[in-house]
Amino acid sequence: MKTFSRGILTAMFMLSGAVAVHAAERAIIVLDASGSMWGQIDGKPKLEIARQALRSVLKTVPADTELGLMAYGHREKGSCTDIELVVPPAAGSADAITAAADGLKFLGKTPLTAAVKQAAEDLKYTEDKATVILITDGLETCNADACALGKELEQGGVDFTAHVVGFGLTAEEGRQVACLAQNTGGKYIQASDAKGLEEALTQTVAAPAPTPAPAPTPAPEPAKPEFNFVPELTLAEGGAPLKDAGNAWEIYKANADGSKGERITTEYSNYKGSLEEGDYVIRATLGEAGVEQPLKVEAGQVYKPTFVLDAGTLVIRPRPSEGGDINASAAVVFDFPGADNPATYYGETKVVLPAGEQKVRVTIGQGEANETIQLAAGQTVEKDIVAGVGRVVVNALYAQGGDKVDAGGLDVKIYKAKKKIDGTREQVTYGYGPDNKFDLPAGDYVAVVRMDQAEVEQPFNTRVGEAGDVTAVLDAGVLAIDAPGARQIRVYSAKKDIQGNRKDFGYTYDQKHQTTLPTGEYVVEIDLGDSGKKEANTAVKAGERTELTVQ
């Protein structure tokens, strides 16, 4: 089935209702693209859950809603100014937002307060009604007060509202960001319920658009039947009507040429309705299949049309190897004729698709498998697709037999072991933090593991269906420097090269500096501004912490 995290999807649908009430409203979604979004819920990265939830919710937002996307932490690892309006607010921006979210890298810090303020300013909140929806899995990390910002925006705005989705936050953490929403009259939604995966979007009820009230009449009309539109849906011609299938009925006014005009409403499953006289276009959808037909409604008539989807059901079970367990985070992509974009699902997938040739691609980590399946109307086809990968878990130690590097700044890059003709290696994938899991096709690889200024290469091998651990020993320690009054702290190697130069091991514009360094001797240079510079010698030992004070 098509799956999502229950909490985030529910929260996003609540917010979709909040922004879609009036099509004239302008809103910006502020998406947390910090490195912590690589954290997993039930084996699936939070960033993928957020992307999928966005993709699903945007399908329910009317095309004339002016919606934009802002991201932070997606370009630099340590910057508090890494904020970008990726998609400016505009009508019909759903596809652009989806594509932008899919292309984001998740790297840096969490300047959520500055991002919300910038979004409000981009919406001209002091002149027009404006709404900001913040999705964050962490607290402010850039020394700003989100609660105070909420009061500021509420007092200075014409009609400003901020909604906050706390994705994976604890109750206590949630209280620290809820005030941003509460101080602007918005909603705070705790989206930490990740107990499994949600059913397909078509089986989730979104708030339908309101049906226009019928025009008043000067005199009572003749009695009408309770319902004048009672449609049925089947997968194939002559097939049994579908009940409680989670399908959608989209009802549009018809234009003069018979094409779809204004959308009246969207209803679900066993719908019965009462439509005013006039010409309509009705579209029935289930999964990725859809069919539409015209309907002319006249007074006193009851219409019971049958909609034939000409579709079948495909069940895909993605596995890393023959006989391996179904992989819940595997991407299952369907690229079928007539689709605007390929449809992507995750884990074991059960979906209704148009009859015909179905091209299915399954990816697990860096492994990929492609199948072509013939699907007939009314048919159900079940298929195991094997991506052919093994799993490795990569960690680092400061020293052989010493402490594990348990820091989010741990950088892991995976390369193919075989060098190209120019002597470089092809990068396969990357990740951050300890216990990084990589699903890789069988072969020889090199893990380049880096923590601050210490880096090591660790060769390893993977086999399909096997799991293993890769441990890189950095042969490094931690140097912590305290230099009161310093404008800048720089670290150099103590030994000079043949040209008399010392290798630079990083710097900071602060009075304190902590970094991981390879074992060896170093010179610390302190810039005290008008008071000149000072130098201090120190040594770093593998697996040990060295503290240095320079006054």
Side-chain angles (χ1 to χ4, degrees), residues 26-106:
R26 302 177 73 242
I28 290 178
I29 297 170
V30 177
L31 180 60
D32 185 343
S34 64
S36 61
M37 288 287 280
W38 282 99
Q40 296 190 352
I41 295 178
D42 295 337
K44 181 177 176 182
K46 288 186 282 186
L47 61 94
E48 290 297 344
I49 297 172
R51 284 170 173 166
Q52 187 61 41
L54 272 177
R55 184 178 299 111
S56 303
V57 170
L58 290 174
K59 293 181 180 179
T60 72
V61 177
D64 56 353
T65 299
E66 295 186 19
L67 193 61
L69 176 67
M70 179 171 287
Y72 59 77
H74 61 297
R75 295 173 297 187
E76 300 177 51
K77 281 200 273 186
S79 173
C80 285
T81 60
D82 184 14
I83 302 168
E84 180 184 10
L85 183 61
V86 184
V87 178
S93 60
D95 289 344
I97 293 174
T98 297
D102 286 347
L104 290 177
K105 294 182 178 179
F106 292 74

Side-chain angles (χ1 to χ4, degrees), residues 221-504:
E221 294 183 350
K224 295 181 179 179
E226 183 180 4
F227 302 109
N228 64 357
F229 178 54
V230 186
E232 289 189 336
L233 183 67
T234 67
L235 288 175
E237 191 71 46
L242 300 174
K243 301 296 183 184
D244 300 314
N247 57 285
W249 300 99
E250 300 172 12
I251 301 175
Y252 300 85
K253 282 286 190 181
N255 293 321
D257 61 358
S259 62
K260 291 196 300 285
E262 176 190 358
R263 186 180 72 168
I264 303 303
T265 187
T266 300
E267 305 292 345
Y268 296 87
S269 291
N270 308 325
Y271 167 65
K272 298 178 182 179
S274 184
L275 301 179
E276 297 295 319
E277 294 180 54
D279 294 319
Y280 298 86
V281 175
I282 314 297
R283 178 171 176 79
T285 60
L286 179 58
E288 301 297 335
V291 60
E292 63 184 47
Q293 60 189 55
L295 176 69
K296 184 177 183 65
V297 176
E298 297 179 347
Q301 301 296 312
V302 176
Y303 301 88
K304 299 182 178 180
T306 297
F307 289 73
V308 180
L309 281 172
D310 188 30
T313 303
L314 195 54
V315 180
I316 301 297
R317 292 182 289 265
R319 301 183 189 273
S321 59
E322 291 288 348
D325 293 337
I326 295 172
N327 189 290
S329 61
V332 181
V333 183
F334 302 95
D335 191 0
F336 50 89
D340 294 334
N341 295 293
T344 302
Y345 294 71
Y346 292 91
E348 183 172 3
T349 299
K350 181 178 181 181
V351 62
V352 174
L353 296 163
E357 183 180 272
Q358 299 297 333
K359 294 181 179 179
V360 187
R361 181 173 74 255
V362 168
T363 58
I364 300 177
Q366 303 307 307
E368 179 178 307
N370 293 273
E371 295 271 357
T372 299
I373 301 170
Q374 291 294 332
L375 185 64
Q379 182 186 26
T380 296
V381 175
E382 300 188 23
K383 182 75 174 178
D384 285 5
I385 298 183
V386 176
V389 294
R391 169 166 287 189
V392 295
V393 180
V394 180
N395 278 295
L397 302 178
Y398 287 102
Q400 189 69 48
D403 292 341
K404 172 181 171 181
V405 180
D406 191 12
L410 184 67
D411 186 314
V412 180
K413 292 183 174 66
I414 306 297
Y415 296 85
K416 290 185 178 179
K418 185 178 180 180
K419 293 183 179 180
K420 296 184 287 187
I421 194 169
D422 62 359
T424 63
R425 293 189 174 101
E426 178 184 347
Q427 183 174 335
V428 177
T429 185
Y430 64 93
Y432 297 96
D435 301 312
N436 253 288
K437 298 179 180 65
F438 298 99
D439 294 305
L440 301 167
D444 296 320
Y445 299 91
V446 173
V448 177
V449 182
R450 182 181 181 89
M451 183 64 198
D452 296 336
Q453 302 298 322
E455 182 177 280
V456 66
E457 294 187 1
Q458 181 62 52
F460 67 95
N461 173 272
T462 60
R463 297 181 181 180
V464 173
E466 295 186 3
D469 293 313
V470 176
T471 302
V473 180
L474 291 173
D475 189 28
V478 174
L479 176 61
I481 304 166
D482 186 3
R487 290 186 178 180
Q488 185 186 60
I489 301 173
R490 279 187 176 271
V491 180
Y492 297 94
S493 63
K495 183 178 179 180
K496 295 181 179 180
D497 63 19
I498 196 170
Q499 299 295 331
N501 299 316
R502 296 181 299 200
K503 184 178 179 181
D504 191 338

Side-chain angles (χ1 to χ4, degrees), residues 121-134:
E121 292 172 347
D122 288 343
L123 290 169
K124 298 182 179 179
Y125 77 105
T126 60
E127 303 173 23
D128 300 311
K129 183 174 182 178
T131 301
V132 172
I133 304 102
L134 169 66

